[in-house]
Amino acid sequence: MSNVNPHLILPPGTKVVTRVETRALDGGTVHPAQSVGVIVGAPVDATHAYSVRFVDGTQAMLSRAELSILKEHQREGMASDPVAERGLFEHVILRVIVGSRAYGLDNEQSDTDVRGIYLPPAELQWSLYGVPEQLENDERQECFWELQKFLVLALKANPNVLECLYTPQIEHATPLARELLAMRDAFLSKLAYQTFNGYVLSQFKKLEQDLRTTGAIKWKHAMHLVRLLLSGIGLLRTGELPVRVTDHRERLLAIKAGGESWDSVNAWRLALHKEFEQAFAEAKLPERPDYERVNAFLVRARQAALGPAMHMTQPEIAGIPESKAVHLRKVCADQPYPLLFATISGAHLYGFPSPDSDFDLRGVHVLPASELLGLKEPRETIEISRMDETMELDLVTHDARKFFTLMLRKNGYVLEQLHSPLIVQTSPEHAELKEIARGCVTRHHVHHYLGFADTQWKLFQKENPPRVKPLLYVLRVLLTGIHLMQTGAIEANLLKLNEKFRLPYVNELVARKVEGKEKSKLSAADLAIYEPEFTRLRAELERAAKESTLPESASAGDALSDLLVRIRRRNG
């Protein structure tokens, strides 16, 4: 494994140590070898120099071969460092192709540039030696960032890192990496304008300086700068980073070959800067990336890196006695097909279970190919009801294809089941599916919640005397619907919803239901109180839908289809 991979572009902010004596740009200051500095300007390819600022404020231009990363330099003194012997390449979770082959600018002589992510085992992450921020193999032109380093760079809108998330050429991705790819929109924000545009501006100034002083232009560098502008404009306009630039292939390759004049290239570049500014003004991307979402992913990944031997016990299910949780897990383990997930729905999820409430288990199973391809009708839905001395249980699971289809049909039930925090069984695909589900939520989900509320209200009105339970179901579904229309987020727990809506009667109703039996009654006079509240909340739900910024249609169809294919292949 080579110590220096010339194909890896070190980002600005990287602390480095010089390998050679260096003369600063001021012409007078000389820094000896082993001087510490920080990269303040990075090239877009490996053939150009880095701008490095030293502690005295002077700067110098240095090639990659003249630099060492400070952390790696410090680690070189630890002769017994076992990292290289641990096979860290075996822990690569994402391997993709970037560069000219991904851009659509390749020819027969083009290299194949491989980049990706590795997730080191926890014992190495915690060890005295630590782990390198990237693994490099010069012979195979490969570089893999350590996961946390990759995420930090992606949050800063580093173009080289974002390309790894959007390149169409994926050679290898574990379930954890697939989860990351499914949430790649979390890294996109208007910060990309400063990162992409600012870098191109500074680099074109250097190209112009080269032209004045040497009369020569580094045309490949100029081509990549124009390509960066095209990608940045596409990102702001579409919310996706366009990696392939085949629409501009001929002109970009002409620039690379020196086939266009400098004035022509510069004019195109200036026009693209104007387009970039307009795209920035009109962009619907958030001001900042979703740090919380990315941090939660990193925590899950670190937990996964603990390895099976370090997982002590299954986590508790909030509010469920462990004796019952054990029983629920056993029911899931006894199912005939593997489960992507199983969660608790119903009154336990809604926050008002009575002592005699049954347990509603919901989930997704995966049918094997042998049952899907044969003549026998596949078991798309499995329903089990059982009662013993400890609990009454109702389990319903759908095959992945049916469940994914329901997700696209504006079915609020399945989204609530998917996002239930009362998790009995889970998998990496469960986490990925929750990320994908963001693209399933539309303003038309309001029809599900209006329809359910109307049905439950009719049931409530028919009872004499009326019961607390159907009234709570009405209130819960109305508040869940309003919250969804306003935020795009699923929240099914009535007590948590009421922290936002602050309805004065909710907590008392829940207390009556939780402390009593399933058939806890209301007085007839209560109808006079709750009927106008139903009308008011129903109207608020309709108004929230009209004012909602949620999309008109789901955008997650392709991602769900891709996940389904991977699940089928894995399960044979």
Side-chain angles (χ1 to χ4, degrees), residues 564-572:
L564 181 61
V565 170
R566 286 187 277 117
I567 291 169
R568 294 284 194 233
R569 286 174 175 169
R570 187 195 66 190
N571 287 275

Side-chain angles (χ1 to χ4, degrees), residues 44-71:
V44 293
D45 59 52
T47 63
H48 298 88
Y50 292 84
S51 178
V52 177
R53 184 175 63 232
F54 297 97
V55 292
D56 62 359
T58 60
Q59 295 186 30
M61 302 302 293
L62 292 159
S63 69
R64 178 66 179 91
E66 296 172 322
L67 300 172
S68 293
I69 299 172
L70 177 60
K71 287 185 178 179

